[in-house]
Amino acid sequence: MRLIVLAMMLFAACSACAEGETAAPEARWDVARLMQRLAQVQHAQGQFVEKKYLRILNKPLESSGTLIYQAPGHLEKHTRAPKIESLVLDKSTLLIDSKASGKRRLTLQDYPLLWALIEGIRSTLAGDVATLNRFYQIKLDGDISRWRLILIPTDAKALELVREIRISGREDRVSEIETLETTGDRSVMSVTEDRVETP
Amino acid sequence: MRRYLAPAVWLAFVAACALIISRTPFTADMSAFLPRSPTPTQQILVEQLRDGVVSRLILVGITDLPQAQLAELSKDLAGRLRRNAEFTAVNNGEQADLQKDFDFLWRNRYLLSEAVTPQRFSADGLRASLTHYLDLLGTPLSALAQRVLPNDPSGELTYLLDQFEGQAKPDRQHDVWFSRDGQRAMLLAHTRSPGSDIDAQERAMHAVEAAFEQARRARPELAPARLQMTGPGVFSVQSRASIRDDAWRLSLIATLLVATLLLVLYRSPRVLALGLFPVASGALAGVAAVSLGFGSVHGITLAFGVTLIGECVDYAIYLFTRITPDTTPQRTLQRIWPTLRLGVLTSICGFAAMLFSGFTGLAQLGLFSIAGLITAAATTRWVLPQLLPAGFFVRSDTRFSAALMHAVRFAPRLRVPVLLTVLAAALFLTLRPGSIWNDSLASMSPVSKEMQQLDGQLRRDLGAPDVRYLIVAGGADQQSVLQQSEALTAILRRQVQQGLLENFDAPTLYFPSRQAQQARLAALPDAAVLRQNMQTALTGLPFRSGLFEPFAQDVAQARQQVPLDPAALRGTGLGLKLDSFLIRRASGWAVMLPLTGVKDPQALVDAINIDAPAPVLLLDMKQESERMFRDYRREATRYAGLGALAIVLLLLASLRTPRRVALVCLPLLAAVTVLSAALVLSGLTLSLFHLIGLLLVVAVGSNYALFFARASESEQEETRTMTSLIFANLCTVCGFGLLSLSQSPVLVAIGSTVSAGTVLSLIFSAALIARKSL
């Protein structure tokens, strides 16, 4: 099934994000510090389990697989169960390969909302506070040993879809990503790090 | 009173011509290039070029600002143009453009989707679709899938959107179309009037320019923005303007130059004015004759007809410069009349052949020049001598005459070098590989190369590849051609699978025939059956109960719908697409299916015709247009050849001996050969306009050769003959040489060919025609 044009039509509604949104990093020295730590990670790999709680379903959708991150902007998500699916994000290109959607290549700029969602995760991993500020208002809870970032979209259109993204972690590692949608749907992805790091 | 009879008749004649012209319709469309009995594909091609949706497109680019500001300007400009009645649609990639189409597809999905069959709404069919949705919910497209799922679990909308998937789309930045390099915001404006209505296209262009200016002035930081526009209509407007402006400006300069030259020669403003009588009355008679013969006059005829009879300016020169203090104008005229008459007849022979052409444009040019030349010659013969002031003669400067005669006597020594040059040129032309003719549309285009390149760039950026192949099917009414399109769609799908072509588009992919719509309505189950099927399909799937209530409602509503007619699409992008491919013709309707990636066109059309309900045509836009222009040029060449033959026969009848005929023809042949070789050597390939130029060289040059070949009675007469020739040539070079400074490739081709060719004719006549020494 091909939803790309539809995706474009719906996403197109969101013009490419409010630029120059301000959240001066100096004022949040803790965010800046966290980002600095995250920015130093060159490579990370882990296993994920994702649960999607959707209003339209009477039980959660569960999937699992591998996540691979390579600094500064390369992210891969390989789902093994229940269906094999792979997402490869490199710079502004997203390659999707799954049985449901077929093989396709998307340019993020064409899909502003999807871009915002993806950048919330990728820019956090990359410690790219400038990009994060473009899309989100950032809040930080906790301390270095157990922190939680809360990202709230700044764009009105994005807010219609996503209420907030919560990313939790420990030191320079991310352990959970929770996405809360405006409709009440949510998804929780827990990540367990494979400690086989290549510098 | 007899003295005034001829001028009176002439005045009445001119008045009659003016009256006819005042009632003449002038056309400027492609019809001149249309053969009188066109093939069906040629007919469609010309209709498309003239009135088709493609002819109504204006491609707009905005550059020279940062992206965000270009996008803002693009939205502002599009908004202004959408409110303007000159345009039926303006697209710049904004959401608003897509939203209408999207809404239309969504509302009518059960009528429009080809996938609607009874099977799809059975328990099995629905279960297959629901399972698919479930998979999709795990992907990044989940949010979208959820939005449409409750209303459309059978997936009709996605099926419909899928039809557009393969089509190239422009890049988008900041919600509007941008070029691939991100430097240019792009818009497409569709004009209400056809591309052939140049006045309306000009209004539309001005509307774009005015709206752009207003948008640009709205904020100071937008001021540096630049506007670019191309498209068939824009090209017509620009070439008309450049030909008109150049023609005006250059003819004004040429007229001043020639007038100054002749004033020095004649020393009488009255005589100067008289000199224009032949050409002016010739032009009037030409237009009137074409109007009577064809019912209308084409712009091309008007533009080139006047240049074709440019030699008429020479007639007066030949007469005026020959008058001596001791002869009357009548006497002089009687003496030169045989030669002049032969020159006129020669030119008429050259042009007459065009009269029989199968192309309206050529036939009109033929008639125009014949009527024009006859009138001009008659005016020179019977009107001018009556009106010349008594005692008029041209005083020639003795030093000038001496120098001129010295040059003329020296010329025969150039015979051997000239003959060698001609031989080399002839060898070069015959031995050179490839055709010296260029029949591509681009070579015929009156638009500059830069504009053609800009147009190509804008088209590529808009992702609108040039459609080259079209399948065309005709029928008596709209519904029957839509049904044919549906049958062809099924055939073409198979051929895409077989790899005979890459992709195709068909209006019925988004607008089916009434019959197909009715079949789809009939395929929708009633509420009870649908509920039952849905319940069975959902067994064991995790969807929340009651989720698909909107689906039941939508299907029930769809069952009450009546089939749509094309008017329902008005105002949407799909409607424009439908209009471009579903066409009302003089008799009946036609549907066009654009193809991309065709490997073997003939095999494809053969394969289609085995299965098609009625035979279809394959229109190859590129080949067909090139063939048409090649035929046009070939026919012109053939008739020019016949004209040359007629000229030889005429000369033979008049000059009696083959030797004298050869003597007159040789300089002309030499001039044409050397000139063609020089043009090809300078890197040009010759177009129809060069051919017209060459014809003109022969027409003008034949007069030179005839005067050269004629023995003079005295040295004084000899001097006067040479003076008249040199002034006639100077005038021609002034007039046509200036044309070659024009912006318009057409005027440049004719101007340079004629000015260089007539100079060569004169020099070669002097060198090759042995004169009895005096």
Side-chain angles (χ1 to χ4, degrees), chain B residues 319 322-323 326-337 385 713:
Chain B
L319 170 65
R322 298 300 188 77
I323 299 169
D326 39 72
T327 53
T328 61
Q330 281 84 353
R331 267 287 295 133
T332 313
L333 198 109
Q334 276 159 22
R335 221 171 50 232
I336 64 162
W337 180 241
E713 286 166 8

PDB file of all heavy atoms in Angstrom, chain B residues 319 322-323 326-337 385 713:
ATOM      1  N   LEU B 319      14.690  53.135 -63.472  1.00  0.00           N
ATOM      2  CA  LEU B 319      14.088  54.128 -64.365  1.00  0.00           C
ATOM      3  C   LEU B 319      14.725  55.515 -64.164  1.00  0.00           C
ATOM      4  O   LEU B 319      15.208  56.127 -65.109  1.00  0.00           O
ATOM      5  CB  LEU B 319      12.576  54.190 -64.127  1.00  0.00           C
ATOM      6  CG  LEU B 319      11.833  55.338 -64.811  1.00  0.00           C
ATOM      7  CD1 LEU B 319      11.901  55.194 -66.338  1.00  0.00           C
ATOM      8  CD2 LEU B 319      10.376  55.402 -64.376  1.00  0.00           C
ATOM      9  N   ARG B 322      18.321  56.326 -65.299  1.00  0.00           N
ATOM     10  CA  ARG B 322      18.624  56.237 -66.723  1.00  0.00           C
ATOM     11  C   ARG B 322      18.203  57.453 -67.519  1.00  0.00           C
ATOM     12  O   ARG B 322      18.519  57.580 -68.692  1.00  0.00           O
ATOM     13  CB  ARG B 322      17.891  55.030 -67.325  1.00  0.00           C
ATOM     14  CG  ARG B 322      18.301  53.721 -66.754  1.00  0.00           C
ATOM     15  CD  ARG B 322      19.774  53.497 -66.990  1.00  0.00           C
ATOM     16  NE  ARG B 322      20.086  52.155 -66.592  1.00  0.00           N
ATOM     17  CZ  ARG B 322      19.773  51.096 -67.346  1.00  0.00           C
ATOM     18  NH1 ARG B 322      19.208  51.258 -68.499  1.00  0.00           N
ATOM     19  NH2 ARG B 322      20.065  49.906 -66.917  1.00  0.00           N
ATOM     20  N   ILE B 323      17.389  58.283 -66.866  1.00  0.00           N
ATOM     21  CA  ILE B 323      16.885  59.429 -67.619  1.00  0.00           C
ATOM     22  C   ILE B 323      18.029  60.417 -67.845  1.00  0.00           C
ATOM     23  O   ILE B 323      18.747  60.772 -66.910  1.00  0.00           O
ATOM     24  CB  ILE B 323      15.743  60.120 -66.849  1.00  0.00           C
ATOM     25  CG1 ILE B 323      14.592  59.134 -66.652  1.00  0.00           C
ATOM     26  CG2 ILE B 323      15.252  61.361 -67.589  1.00  0.00           C
ATOM     27  CD1 ILE B 323      13.535  59.613 -65.698  1.00  0.00           C
ATOM     28  N   ASP B 326      18.573  64.727 -72.311  1.00  0.00           N
ATOM     29  CA  ASP B 326      17.946  64.859 -73.625  1.00  0.00           C
ATOM     30  C   ASP B 326      16.928  63.777 -73.944  1.00  0.00           C
ATOM     31  O   ASP B 326      16.548  63.607 -75.088  1.00  0.00           O
ATOM     32  CB  ASP B 326      19.039  64.936 -74.701  1.00  0.00           C
ATOM     33  CG  ASP B 326      20.172  63.992 -74.392  1.00  0.00           C
ATOM     34  OD1 ASP B 326      19.966  62.765 -74.539  1.00  0.00           O
ATOM     35  OD2 ASP B 326      21.227  64.474 -73.929  1.00  0.00           O
ATOM     36  N   THR B 327      16.488  62.999 -72.962  1.00  0.00           N
ATOM     37  CA  THR B 327      15.387  62.053 -73.226  1.00  0.00           C
ATOM     38  C   THR B 327      14.263  62.292 -72.235  1.00  0.00           C
ATOM     39  O   THR B 327      14.485  62.753 -71.114  1.00  0.00           O
ATOM     40  CB  THR B 327      15.813  60.582 -73.069  1.00  0.00           C
ATOM     41  OG1 THR B 327      16.401  60.435 -71.781  1.00  0.00           O
ATOM     42  CG2 THR B 327      16.765  60.135 -74.143  1.00  0.00           C
ATOM     43  N   THR B 328      13.041  61.922 -72.642  1.00  0.00           N
ATOM     44  CA  THR B 328      11.904  62.004 -71.723  1.00  0.00           C
ATOM     45  C   THR B 328      11.865  60.718 -70.909  1.00  0.00           C
ATOM     46  O   THR B 328      12.444  59.709 -71.328  1.00  0.00           O
ATOM     47  CB  THR B 328      10.580  62.117 -72.511  1.00  0.00           C
ATOM     48  OG1 THR B 328      10.462  60.936 -73.319  1.00  0.00           O
ATOM     49  CG2 THR B 328      10.564  63.356 -73.361  1.00  0.00           C
ATOM     50  N   PRO B 329      11.172  60.767 -69.771  1.00  0.00           N
ATOM     51  CA  PRO B 329      11.014  59.534 -68.984  1.00  0.00           C
ATOM     52  C   PRO B 329      10.420  58.412 -69.829  1.00  0.00           C
ATOM     53  O   PRO B 329      10.847  57.260 -69.737  1.00  0.00           O
ATOM     54  CB  PRO B 329      10.067  59.941 -67.868  1.00  0.00           C
ATOM     55  CG  PRO B 329      10.241  61.414 -67.730  1.00  0.00           C
ATOM     56  CD  PRO B 329      10.588  61.917 -69.105  1.00  0.00           C
ATOM     57  N   GLN B 330       9.439  58.769 -70.686  1.00  0.00           N
ATOM     58  CA  GLN B 330       8.790  57.738 -71.502  1.00  0.00           C
ATOM     59  C   GLN B 330       9.786  57.042 -72.422  1.00  0.00           C
ATOM     60  O   GLN B 330       9.760  55.812 -72.558  1.00  0.00           O
ATOM     61  CB  GLN B 330       7.657  58.355 -72.356  1.00  0.00           C
ATOM     62  CG  GLN B 330       6.374  58.598 -71.590  1.00  0.00           C
ATOM     63  CD  GLN B 330       6.382  59.924 -70.842  1.00  0.00           C
ATOM     64  OE1 GLN B 330       7.418  60.625 -70.784  1.00  0.00           O
ATOM     65  NE2 GLN B 330       5.257  60.290 -70.276  1.00  0.00           N
ATOM     66  N   ARG B 331      10.639  57.832 -72.999  1.00  0.00           N
ATOM     67  CA  ARG B 331      11.638  57.278 -73.928  1.00  0.00           C
ATOM     68  C   ARG B 331      12.552  56.322 -73.170  1.00  0.00           C
ATOM     69  O   ARG B 331      12.816  55.198 -73.591  1.00  0.00           O
ATOM     70  CB  ARG B 331      12.497  58.409 -74.537  1.00  0.00           C
ATOM     71  CG  ARG B 331      12.005  58.954 -75.859  1.00  0.00           C
ATOM     72  CD  ARG B 331      12.246  57.992 -77.040  1.00  0.00           C
ATOM     73  NE  ARG B 331      13.648  57.745 -77.348  1.00  0.00           N
ATOM     74  CZ  ARG B 331      14.163  56.535 -77.565  1.00  0.00           C
ATOM     75  NH1 ARG B 331      13.398  55.475 -77.474  1.00  0.00           N
ATOM     76  NH2 ARG B 331      15.436  56.399 -77.887  1.00  0.00           N
ATOM     77  N   THR B 332      13.050  56.789 -72.025  1.00  0.00           N
ATOM     78  CA  THR B 332      13.948  55.970 -71.209  1.00  0.00           C
ATOM     79  C   THR B 332      13.271  54.659 -70.853  1.00  0.00           C
ATOM     80  O   THR B 332      13.865  53.583 -70.936  1.00  0.00           O
ATOM     81  CB  THR B 332      14.300  56.713 -69.903  1.00  0.00           C
ATOM     82  OG1 THR B 332      14.666  58.038 -70.221  1.00  0.00           O
ATOM     83  CG2 THR B 332      15.413  56.002 -69.160  1.00  0.00           C
ATOM     84  N   LEU B 333      12.013  54.796 -70.463  1.00  0.00           N
ATOM     85  CA  LEU B 333      11.298  53.616 -70.017  1.00  0.00           C
ATOM     86  C   LEU B 333      11.177  52.604 -71.141  1.00  0.00           C
ATOM     87  O   LEU B 333      11.371  51.408 -70.950  1.00  0.00           O
ATOM     88  CB  LEU B 333       9.910  54.019 -69.517  1.00  0.00           C
ATOM     89  CG  LEU B 333       9.347  52.896 -68.671  1.00  0.00           C
ATOM     90  CD1 LEU B 333       9.332  53.297 -67.233  1.00  0.00           C
ATOM     91  CD2 LEU B 333       8.034  52.450 -69.172  1.00  0.00           C
ATOM     92  N   GLN B 334      10.869  53.133 -72.351  1.00  0.00           N
ATOM     93  CA  GLN B 334      10.749  52.206 -73.482  1.00  0.00           C
ATOM     94  C   GLN B 334      12.044  51.448 -73.709  1.00  0.00           C
ATOM     95  O   GLN B 334      12.032  50.292 -74.093  1.00  0.00           O
ATOM     96  CB  GLN B 334      10.350  52.973 -74.746  1.00  0.00           C
ATOM     97  CG  GLN B 334       8.853  53.189 -74.832  1.00  0.00           C
ATOM     98  CD  GLN B 334       8.485  54.332 -75.745  1.00  0.00           C
ATOM     99  OE1 GLN B 334       9.278  54.719 -76.619  1.00  0.00           O
ATOM    100  NE2 GLN B 334       7.307  54.883 -75.547  1.00  0.00           N
ATOM    101  N   ARG B 335      13.173  52.148 -73.450  1.00  0.00           N
ATOM    102  CA  ARG B 335      14.454  51.503 -73.687  1.00  0.00           C
ATOM    103  C   ARG B 335      14.748  50.407 -72.646  1.00  0.00           C
ATOM    104  O   ARG B 335      15.225  49.338 -72.980  1.00  0.00           O
ATOM    105  CB  ARG B 335      15.577  52.554 -73.667  1.00  0.00           C
ATOM    106  CG  ARG B 335      16.597  52.299 -74.780  1.00  0.00           C
ATOM    107  CD  ARG B 335      17.574  53.440 -74.903  1.00  0.00           C
ATOM    108  NE  ARG B 335      18.155  53.813 -73.628  1.00  0.00           N
ATOM    109  CZ  ARG B 335      18.178  55.054 -73.148  1.00  0.00           C
ATOM    110  NH1 ARG B 335      17.669  56.043 -73.832  1.00  0.00           N
ATOM    111  NH2 ARG B 335      18.736  55.304 -71.989  1.00  0.00           N
ATOM    112  N   ILE B 336      14.480  50.697 -71.372  1.00  0.00           N
ATOM    113  CA  ILE B 336      14.824  49.686 -70.368  1.00  0.00           C
ATOM    114  C   ILE B 336      13.698  48.675 -70.149  1.00  0.00           C
ATOM    115  O   ILE B 336      13.900  47.648 -69.521  1.00  0.00           O
ATOM    116  CB  ILE B 336      15.202  50.309 -68.997  1.00  0.00           C
ATOM    117  CG1 ILE B 336      14.003  51.037 -68.395  1.00  0.00           C
ATOM    118  CG2 ILE B 336      16.422  51.176 -69.119  1.00  0.00           C
ATOM    119  CD1 ILE B 336      14.171  51.277 -66.902  1.00  0.00           C
ATOM    120  N   TRP B 337      12.509  48.991 -70.647  1.00  0.00           N
ATOM    121  CA  TRP B 337      11.352  48.146 -70.341  1.00  0.00           C
ATOM    122  C   TRP B 337      11.562  46.671 -70.693  1.00  0.00           C
ATOM    123  O   TRP B 337      11.248  45.788 -69.877  1.00  0.00           O
ATOM    124  CB  TRP B 337      10.092  48.721 -71.001  1.00  0.00           C
ATOM    125  CG  TRP B 337       8.851  47.898 -70.742  1.00  0.00           C
ATOM    126  CD1 TRP B 337       8.076  47.286 -71.672  1.00  0.00           C
ATOM    127  CD2 TRP B 337       8.258  47.579 -69.473  1.00  0.00           C
ATOM    128  NE1 TRP B 337       7.053  46.626 -71.087  1.00  0.00           N
ATOM    129  CE2 TRP B 337       7.140  46.783 -69.715  1.00  0.00           C
ATOM    130  CE3 TRP B 337       8.589  47.898 -68.150  1.00  0.00           C
ATOM    131  CZ2 TRP B 337       6.321  46.282 -68.719  1.00  0.00           C
ATOM    132  CZ3 TRP B 337       7.782  47.408 -67.144  1.00  0.00           C
ATOM    133  CH2 TRP B 337       6.667  46.608 -67.417  1.00  0.00           C
ATOM    134  N   PRO B 385       6.252  57.526 -65.060  1.00  0.00           N
ATOM    135  CA  PRO B 385       6.688  58.494 -66.069  1.00  0.00           C
ATOM    136  C   PRO B 385       5.748  59.692 -66.160  1.00  0.00           C
ATOM    137  O   PRO B 385       6.197  60.812 -66.407  1.00  0.00           O
ATOM    138  CB  PRO B 385       6.666  57.678 -67.380  1.00  0.00           C
ATOM    139  CG  PRO B 385       6.781  56.261 -66.946  1.00  0.00           C
ATOM    140  CD  PRO B 385       6.070  56.188 -65.650  1.00  0.00           C
ATOM    141  N   GLU B 713      24.127  51.097 -75.768  1.00  0.00           N
ATOM    142  CA  GLU B 713      24.290  51.814 -77.020  1.00  0.00           C
ATOM    143  C   GLU B 713      25.462  52.782 -76.948  1.00  0.00           C
ATOM    144  O   GLU B 713      26.085  53.099 -77.934  1.00  0.00           O
ATOM    145  CB  GLU B 713      23.006  52.591 -77.341  1.00  0.00           C
ATOM    146  CG  GLU B 713      21.889  51.675 -77.812  1.00  0.00           C
ATOM    147  CD  GLU B 713      20.545  52.387 -77.790  1.00  0.00           C
ATOM    148  OE1 GLU B 713      20.505  53.611 -77.566  1.00  0.00           O
ATOM    149  OE2 GLU B 713      19.530  51.682 -77.988  1.00  0.00           O
TER     150      GLU B 713
END
